[in-house]
Amino acid sequence: MNKNYYALIMAGGVGSRFWPASRTDYPKQFIDFFGVGKTLIQSTYDRFLKVCPPENIFIVTNEIYTDLIKQQLPDLCENQILGEPLLRNTAPCIAYGCLKISELNPDAQIVVAPSDHTISNSEGFLSAINQALKASTENNTLITLGIKPSRADTGYGYIQYTDHNLKSDKDLHKVKTFTEKPNLELAKSFIQSGDFLWNSGIFIWSAKSILSSFEKHLPDMHEIFIAGKNAMNSDREKSFINNAYLQCTNISIDFGIMEKADNVYVLPADFGWSDLGTWASIYDMADKDYVGNVVIPSEHVIMYDSSNCMVNVPKDKLVILRGLHDFVVVENDNILMICPRDEEQKVKEVVADVKSRFGTKFI
């Protein structure tokens, strides 16, 4: 296994679109949605054990989740868990993680990936990752994995690519544009054009390439972090990061760097990917009964004349549903939510409304 290969797993999100199962104190990456015995972050960690040595896997998360990380990934040492003092989007957390890894190994090739995606074809995923890592080793490139779209989905970002290929690997295409979550008509036109991919949010680059890109495209942020390079991997790291985050703007890596850089390439891939953004994505991926219902767990749920429902309730709760079609039913602790499946994209609006009425008690 290549000692220069590293993984940086981003695990700081709250996952509000999975409310009420995903809550501020226990967000979706720490939940086993499919009843398989592993949470989303545990499954992600296990995938990267086949990419790089275990000591080369780092988790960047909100510092309030560090104890959950330690519980669910007990093999990690303290230095592999990067606690963020504030939520500042993906650019600061990537700057932090990639600088830290660079100080450990200047020749590092880094895969950056969210903790809450699902992959059904592990071999296809590993093949794509290794192909991209080889390309990033040989070229000064920023690589993203693009997923071949199966439908006009408005919940994903899109990547448009050109016919210009990377010389060392003809499978990698120069990126032309990024588009964040288009409306349905625009998404349909993207699919029809044939030169758009879903944006997976999985990136591959060398430590040198990404830090150089920060210096060029986000110079203020680069200056903030590079000032503490000698504090990385020491007992001064936490105090430096606490101060650095206070100075950082809230900006995504896509907007801050990927949309501006001229050395961005995409590798089209198809390995059963889902970003699990909504309850509908759980429904799409889960096993269904003969009338299209998904019930997790199913031991104490009885359904009569009901179809195409997504049901997620406590395993010791007896639930009876009659005459319900195309609904999402979710219960967690002191909250029950019932809504039509085609309106579950509005969950974030519901969460905002609950917060405005009742404060953070139910969030």
Side-chain angles (χ1 to χ4, degrees):
M1 192 169 288
N2 194 320
K3 63 180 176 57
N4 290 335
Y5 288 177
Y6 288 76
L8 180 66
I9 300 173
M10 299 181 291
V14 175
S16 59
R17 285 182 293 177
F18 278 103
W19 185 86
S22 180
R23 310 277 281 272
T24 300
D25 60 349
Y26 209 92
K28 67 173 181 175
Q29 58 267 33
F30 302 108
I31 298 173
D32 175 11
F33 280 105
F34 297 99
V36 296
K38 287 183 181 179
T39 64
L40 297 179
I41 193 170
Q42 287 172 330
S43 296
T44 302
Y45 176 80
D46 287 351
R47 278 195 295 273
F48 281 107
L49 287 175
K50 298 177 181 179
V51 174
C52 58
E55 63 271 19
N56 288 9
I57 301 177
F58 291 78
I59 313 291
V60 59
T61 187
N62 190 310
E63 62 184 13
I64 67 174
Y65 303 137
T66 54
D67 286 342
L68 278 172
I69 297 287
K70 292 174 184 177
Q71 292 170 18
Q72 296 205 357
L73 301 174
D75 292 338
L76 292 174
C77 71
E78 288 277 352
N79 196 46
Q80 291 173 270
I81 304 173
L82 288 63
E84 294 183 283
L86 301 166
L87 292 176
R88 285 292 186 265
N89 217 315
T90 54
C93 82
I94 289 172
Y96 174 20
C98 290
L99 177 62
K100 180 181 176 73
I101 291 170
S102 177
E103 289 303 301
L104 291 170
N105 182 353
D107 297 320
Q109 304 294 325
I110 306 169
V111 183
V112 179
S115 60
D116 52 6
H117 292 183
T118 61
I119 308 293
S120 62
N121 180 358
S122 295
E123 291 305 313
F125 172 77
L126 290 173
S127 176
I129 291 292
N130 284 317
Q131 183 177 355
L133 282 166
K134 183 177 185 295
S136 73
T137 303
E138 298 170 349
N139 302 272
N140 175 26
T141 53
L142 307 178
I143 298 171
T144 183
L145 298 187
I147 308 301
K148 297 173 182 176
S150 58
R151 61 189 180 277
D153 198 306
T154 60
Y156 294 147
Y158 286 75
I159 300 171
Q160 184 181 23
Y161 61 92
T162 71
D163 292 332
H164 179 76
N165 306 105
L166 195 63
K167 287 184 179 180
S168 65
D169 189 334
K170 300 299 183 184
D171 290 335
L172 277 87
H173 298 262
K174 189 88 177 283
V175 170
K176 185 176 182 180
T177 62
F178 287 87
T179 303
E180 182 63 23
K181 297 180 181 178
N183 60 39
L184 184 58
E185 289 305 310
L186 192 55
K188 287 179 178 178
S189 70
F190 287 171
I191 301 302
Q192 291 169 357
S193 75
D195 57 357
F196 281 82
L197 302 164
W198 285 337
N199 187 352
S200 72
I202 301 171
F203 309 106
I204 302 93
W205 43 50
S206 69
K208 292 184 177 72
S209 292
I210 189 60
L211 293 179
S212 174
S213 296
F214 269 97
E215 184 175 17
K216 181 176 181 180
H217 301 291
L218 288 174
D220 291 345
M221 189 174 294
H222 178 264
E223 187 174 326
I224 290 168
F225 281 99
I226 209 70
K229 62 182 297 187
N230 293 330
M232 293 295 103
N233 308 296
S234 77
D235 56 6
R236 293 180 289 119
E237 179 178 319
K238 181 172 177 56
S239 62
F240 168 75
I241 288 299
N242 287 346
N243 182 60
Y245 266 68
L246 291 173
Q247 304 172 62
C248 286
T249 54
N250 187 321
I251 188 170
S252 71
I253 194 71
D254 296 78
F255 186 74
I257 290 181
M258 302 301 282
E259 293 181 15
K260 299 174 181 176
D262 60 3
N263 60 335
V264 179
Y265 287 79
V266 63
L267 176 62
D270 187 7
F271 40 72
W273 168 90
S274 173
D275 76 343
L276 290 192
T278 64
W279 285 111
S281 57
I282 296 283
Y283 178 85
D284 289 341
M285 295 197 67
D287 293 333
K288 302 169 184 63
D289 67 15
Y290 71 101
V291 288
N293 293 315
V294 172
V295 184
I296 305 172
S298 60
E299 288 88 345
H300 298 103
V301 177
I302 303 175
M303 305 185 73
Y304 301 96
D305 184 29
S306 297
S307 63
N308 303 317
C309 290
M310 170 74 230
V311 183
N312 184 282
V313 293
K315 62 181 178 181
D316 57 350
K317 172 82 68 170
L318 175 61
V319 177
I320 312 298
L321 299 177
R322 180 184 289 276
L324 205 62
H325 304 278
D326 299 290
F327 268 76
V328 174
V329 179
V330 184
E331 182 178 354
N332 183 44
D333 292 336
N334 54 347
I335 302 172
L336 171 65
M337 183 187 74
I338 304 172
C339 74
R341 268 182 49 218
D342 61 2
E343 294 184 15
E344 54 92 48
Q345 286 274 4
K346 298 179 181 178
V347 170
K348 289 188 76 172
E349 297 175 18
V350 173
V351 173
D353 192 30
V354 169
K355 188 175 181 179
S356 70
R357 294 190 185 195
F358 305 109
T360 59
K361 177 182 178 181
F362 298 103
I363 307 301

